[in-house]
Amino acid sequence: MTDFNSLIILLIAAGLDYLIGDPQNWLHPVQVMGWVITHYTQIFFKHLNQPRILRVAGVFLTLIVVLGSALTTALIGYGVQALVVQFPWNPILSITVESLLLASCFAGRSLRDAAEDVLYWIDQGDLVTARQRLSCYVGRDTETLSESEILRAVLETVTENATDGVMAPLFYALIGAVLPGIGSVPLAFAYKATSTLDSMVGYREAPYKDMGWFSAKLDDVLTWLPCRLTVITIAILSGKPKYVLNICQRDAVFDPSPNAGWSECAYAAALGVQLGGENSYRGVIKHKPLLGDPQQPITSTTIEHALQLTRSCFLIELGLFTVGFILWHLGN
């Protein structure tokens, strides 16, 4: 595959995510990852649930899912390329397959659709349905949330997942595009697998504390740099970079996550709202650190602005890479 094919794949995948997202009736790669993770953990929880064994099993689970995802997609790419060699009359086959695979790693459209799904019912004045729809996207209890709490939950979901669902997969896809013999798809899938593991087993509480420790640490490490790049980009786009970065340094350091708090805080500061506070999970009240200053209330418009910020960050990173990629090759 030529270098410019790698760029074409990136651009097509970005376009597919923006225009189509994840078709509901298609088998998504994350579903396959989830099936593997669920069955693997069930075996150990049922038969070998000693903490030390679970910690070792967590390491192997991470290696199996992350390396398996990268290797599987790499083999698919090589197989399709070999098929193209045999049947040169269809040179776009490889680009099509890899573009579809890569598009499944980006969650920009999915985040937007989820937010708009809940906002629609709020705009209709139907908080009961809004709470029900929100429960499909967040882990907190939603049955008694007020309108302002629903809006905060949506904004926190949009801003937290902007990094691990949109910007970090793009970051690793861009790195893969310039690594000889690697490509965007395997590296993006490796990160997607790590993020999926973290969301499924990367909890600090039982029964996942021991099984998920390694995947949680790996996700923290892999997300750290793309998160900081996203924070800096948001700060610049806000027009008040010093203020946004100061607020992040003031508040984000108190969040237990080394990345989620920074991502949410950057959006909160840029939008002039406050995130965090009291949430209920299965009847247990948990307090998250307050992020940002409540200069104005969270509204549907606030969430739309957050989605636009994410889209702008994505396009800026992809655009800068595209320009640099073209200039580099023209100069060589």
Side-chain angles (χ1 to χ4, degrees):
M1 178 176 294
T2 66
D3 289 339
F4 276 97
N5 280 0
S6 297
L7 179 60
I8 292 171
I9 289 169
L10 277 165
L11 296 176
I12 293 176
L16 287 173
D17 177 63
Y18 178 77
L19 295 173
I20 302 174
D22 301 318
Q24 292 185 355
N25 297 325
W26 287 25
L27 177 65
H28 196 282
V30 170
Q31 293 175 279
V32 179
M33 297 175 193
W35 184 90
V36 173
I37 295 167
T38 299
H39 284 74
Y40 182 98
T41 54
Q42 286 177 346
I43 291 172
F44 279 89
F45 288 153
K46 184 176 181 180
H47 302 288
L48 299 165
N49 59 358
Q50 296 87 348
R52 183 175 298 179
I53 293 177
L54 290 178
R55 288 177 69 84
V56 175
V59 175
F60 281 102
L61 171 63
T62 303
L63 294 176
I64 289 170
V65 177
V66 173
L67 296 181
S69 298
L71 181 60
T72 299
T73 52
L75 290 175
I76 291 174
Y78 292 142
V80 173
Q81 290 176 38
L83 186 63
V84 170
V85 171
Q86 296 295 321
F87 301 96
W89 45 267
N90 193 11
I92 64 172
L93 178 62
S94 179
I95 292 176
T96 301
V97 172
E98 295 203 42
S99 297
L100 289 171
L101 287 171
L102 185 58
S104 70
C105 292
F106 302 144
R109 178 60 182 261
S110 298
L111 273 179
R112 187 165 79 249
D113 288 348
E116 291 175 349
D117 180 24
V118 179
L119 294 180
Y120 171 81
W121 295 106
I122 291 179
D123 292 341
Q124 297 301 309
D126 188 348
L127 293 187
V128 174
T129 304
R131 295 185 189 108
Q132 292 173 345
R133 298 307 303 157
L134 178 64
S135 67
C136 298
Y137 310 115
V138 301
R140 72 191 68 181
D141 301 331
T142 63
E143 294 83 358
T144 61
L145 295 183
S146 64
E147 179 176 334
S148 63
E149 290 172 325
I150 295 172
L151 289 168
R152 175 168 68 87
V154 173
L155 185 57
E156 288 175 349
T157 299
V158 165
T159 56
E160 177 183 353
N161 289 286
T163 294
D164 57 17
V166 182
M167 299 308 299
L170 175 63
F171 176 82
Y172 286 102
L174 298 181
I175 292 178
V178 297
L179 291 179
I182 302 296
S184 296
V185 177
L187 216 58
F189 262 81
Y191 176 79
K192 196 71 174 180
T194 304
S195 178
T196 302
L197 278 161
D198 182 59
S199 65
M200 291 185 67
V201 300
Y203 296 97
R204 300 174 185 270
E205 300 86 9
Y208 298 110
K209 180 179 179 181
D210 296 306
M211 177 67 79
W213 74 275
F214 186 73
S215 57
K217 291 294 184 183
L218 180 62
D219 182 72
D220 287 345
V221 171
L222 293 181
T223 308
W224 193 92
L225 181 54
C227 178
R228 269 61 188 177
L229 292 174
T230 301
V231 168
I232 292 171
T233 306
I234 290 172
I236 294 172
L237 290 174
S238 72
K240 45 185 179 182
K242 185 176 180 180
Y243 170 77
V244 171
L245 294 176
N246 284 340
I247 294 297
C248 287
Q249 290 173 342
R250 185 194 73 183
D251 297 342
V253 293
F254 295 105
D255 194 280
S257 169
N259 299 307
W262 283 84
S263 181
E264 291 183 37
C265 192
Y267 280 90
L271 297 169
V273 299
Q274 187 173 74
L275 300 178
E278 185 179 282
N279 297 322
S280 174
Y281 297 88
R282 298 181 182 180
V284 178
I285 301 297
K286 295 186 178 181
H287 297 272
K288 292 190 64 177
L290 297 175
L291 306 172
D293 295 323
Q295 299 173 0
Q296 57 189 17
I298 299 172
T299 65
S300 296
T301 301
T302 309
I303 296 170
E304 291 170 1
H305 288 167
L307 292 168
Q308 182 58 51
L309 272 176
T310 302
R311 191 177 305 123
S312 298
C313 288
F314 186 94
L315 291 175
I316 288 171
E317 190 167 317
L318 181 60
L320 289 175
F321 175 86
T322 301
V323 171
F325 189 96
I326 293 173
L327 291 176
W328 172 265
H329 284 81
L330 289 177
N332 291 275

